[in-house]
Amino acid sequence: MPPLPPNIMQGRWLRWWLTLSFAVMFTSTFLFHSRIGLLNVLDVLFFLPSLTLLTRAMVSGDHRLLTSPLLVPFYLLLGWALLSMAWAEEPNTSRTVRGVVQILVMVGIFRWLHLYFRNTFREALANGALCAMVVAAMVTVSYYTTQPLNSPLFSEPANLIFRLPSLDPSLALMAMVTPTFILLAQGMAEGAGGKGGRRLAGAAMGIVFIGLVSLPLGLMSLMLAIAWLVSRTSRPWLAAVPVIAALYLMVQGGTDVTMDRYFLHPLIGNGLNQESLNGILGRDGDKLIELAHPRNLFLLLVHSLGLVGLVLFIASWGSPLAALLQREDFQAARGAYTIAIIPGLCMAFATGTYLLVPFHASWMSLWLPLALLMARLCERPSAQPELR
């Protein structure tokens, strides 16, 4: 018999805790001026309670949460990233370790929630995403009361309502991709009326918001949404057309860089140095140089972790995806847990991301879709009748 979930978190308390946690996660980029304050709030609200629940489950014998063979490439990637700080010039060890712990906790608790409380988990994800759309609508109205309507959102600093932060456009783009597609999946599952209609309206708001920040990436998101809808029809192969259009728009919405500067140490990379969205560190011979942030996830992987890190990153996604494709219920699996995978990776390619930092807007493009994918593959063994 698998261990039972703790009774203390069942029912309304679990629902309220998760809804509040996801609401803060999905809206925090637009609400918090202080990143330190945001991290402290999330640690107290979500990560510390999650670590407690996860530890209790593991001690009680539920080892599948963190010991699945599907997680091995993921663990190797995190281990290689931590090891790379040994040859990095200016690593931020405390920040990186804190980020790794948070990511592991999120993966484990998502698998635990899908295993025992999947309906509550999905509802909380949708409610948090709807909160993000309300904030996005408020930011949009506030921005265009002082800026011309032909100005891309966040292209110029503006006094927003309630003194909300005026963001780097890449942060706004990364923060919105996963909430938007979670609402699209759940809205389609519920239907166009009532609850489903509200979620579809929220998804539409998310795509409009992304388009206001970057028109090519907004159109890319729309093409990926269309591709997902077409893939559910009797002719799923037609989804290739909007996917190709989305990839073209992804490249158009990205940043042009001189690629060879990021391949100075192609095998093992420059190590996981302290980085910002403005620049990253590298070494050219005996000189320490600062390069513009590539705003491209895969260039950043090669620069920081080398081809070894890139292979491990691809394997981290490929292992659970291959397992999902082999499942008999694959068609039913293409929902809220998996829909943000391709949009998230495309957004990370076009806008850039941090690799390993504590909770950040880039998690909505990178780590949260991966955690949801891994949660989808955590199942209870089928109950078998006893043989007498």
Side-chain angles (χ1 to χ4, degrees), residues 8-24 45-46 113 120-121 123-125 127-128 131:
I8 191 173
M9 292 299 292
Q10 288 189 28
R12 69 178 65 179
W13 293 107
L14 177 66
R15 184 169 60 253
W16 290 349
W17 171 60
L18 286 177
T19 297
L20 179 60
S21 295
F22 288 128
V24 173
L45 176 63
F46 180 74
L113 289 167
T120 300
F121 184 33
E123 288 291 322
L125 283 169
N127 291 337
C131 290

Side-chain angles (χ1 to χ4, degrees), residues 25 35 38-44 46-48 50-51 54 74 78 95-109 357-360 363 367 371:
M25 279 188 184
R35 178 159 164 73
L38 161 64
L39 292 176
N40 290 337
V41 168
L42 281 178
D43 276 340
V44 172
F46 180 74
F47 289 107
L48 289 178
S50 296
L51 180 59
L54 191 59
F74 171 65
L78 296 182
R95 183 174 76 166
T96 304
V97 171
R98 184 179 182 182
V100 168
V101 171
Q102 286 186 343
I103 291 167
L104 290 173
V105 168
M106 184 176 69
V107 168
I109 201 65
V357 294
F359 185 85
H360 184 264
W363 280 38
W367 298 117

